[in-house]
Amino acid sequence: DFFPSTAALTAEKGADIPWLAVALGDYTTVLLDESFEPVMHASRSRTCRCLRFHPTLPLLVIGDGAETIAVVDYVEGEIIMELEVEGRVNDLEFSPSGDYLLAGTDASHFLMYETSTYRPVQEFPCSGFALAAAFSPSGKCLALGSGDASYKMVNLGPFLGTELIPLGHQEEMRNLP
């Protein structure tokens, strides 16, 4: 018996790749194939709080309560990198192209990493815990939600410069690029 704390699905099913990742209550993430057979386990020192598969590469990122993000190569079956962050990790999102990873933490900000080196390239402050984020399908806009029930929409420029979309402009929000 276990109580899953979070789960992630891959975009496509395939015989040679995991299909589902589930974080268990005992600091372990298990990757399952299409027949729900375990193909890999990844252990963390604290509770796994969020999981995301990379959209095109055989990578899974795991955010935990120990203020780290683990980058797991699930073909090789190993953690290839660990990123230290400020605060527990609440959400992880890859951009649609997979070029960027956004991490929301208890430190009241979202940090964006470019995924070829996993160096931070931009910070998005918020007024409460950084809880949830989503990229638009084109990757040009970002929705950010905080623990104090506030949210904002961000236009991402060609060099990740930002321009906030005023929240009163509902038409703009419905027609995001």
Side-chain angles (χ1 to χ4, degrees):
D1 291 342
F2 66 89
F3 180 75
S5 57
T6 189
L9 289 169
T10 58
E12 298 179 22
K13 296 179 184 179
D16 297 336
I17 63 170
W19 177 57
L20 173 68
V22 178
L24 308 178
D26 63 354
Y27 309 152
T28 301
T29 297
V30 62
L31 280 73
L32 306 167
D33 64 15
E34 287 182 27
S35 60
F36 298 105
E37 293 296 321
V39 294
M40 188 185 136
H41 289 80
S43 295
R44 308 300 306 139
S45 64
R46 297 285 300 271
T47 302
C48 302
R49 297 171 56 89
C50 50
L51 308 166
R52 287 293 178 268
F53 283 100
H54 190 280
T56 59
L57 298 174
L59 299 176
L60 173 74
V61 290
I62 304 170
D64 64 31
E67 302 182 354
T68 60
I69 299 169
V71 181
V72 179
D73 179 331
Y74 56 76
V75 171
E76 297 298 322
E78 63 186 20
I79 295 172
I80 59 172
M81 182 176 297
E82 288 193 349
L83 308 171
E84 291 185 21
V85 297
E86 184 182 345
R88 296 176 302 172
V89 182
N90 297 319
D91 192 22
L92 294 167
E93 288 294 330
F94 280 104
S95 64
S97 65
D99 293 336
Y100 297 99
L101 172 68
L102 191 70
T105 71
D106 283 354
S108 298
H109 67 256
F110 292 89
L111 258 179
M112 187 176 295
Y113 299 86
E114 56 85 24
T115 56
S116 61
T117 63
Y118 286 96
R119 282 190 278 222
V121 294
Q122 188 150 10
E123 179 179 344
F124 302 94
C126 55
S127 54
F129 291 158
L131 290 183
F135 284 90
S136 66
S138 69
K140 294 179 182 179
C141 289
L142 192 55
L144 305 173
S146 301
D148 65 352
S150 66
Y151 64 97
K152 59 183 164 184
M153 301 295 294
V154 179
N155 257 346
L156 298 176
F159 301 106
L160 291 182
T162 62
E163 172 189 328
L164 294 179
I165 299 172
L167 294 178
H169 293 82
Q170 297 299 321
E171 189 60 34
E172 290 180 48
M173 291 176 61
R174 275 190 289 266
N175 298 311
L176 292 177

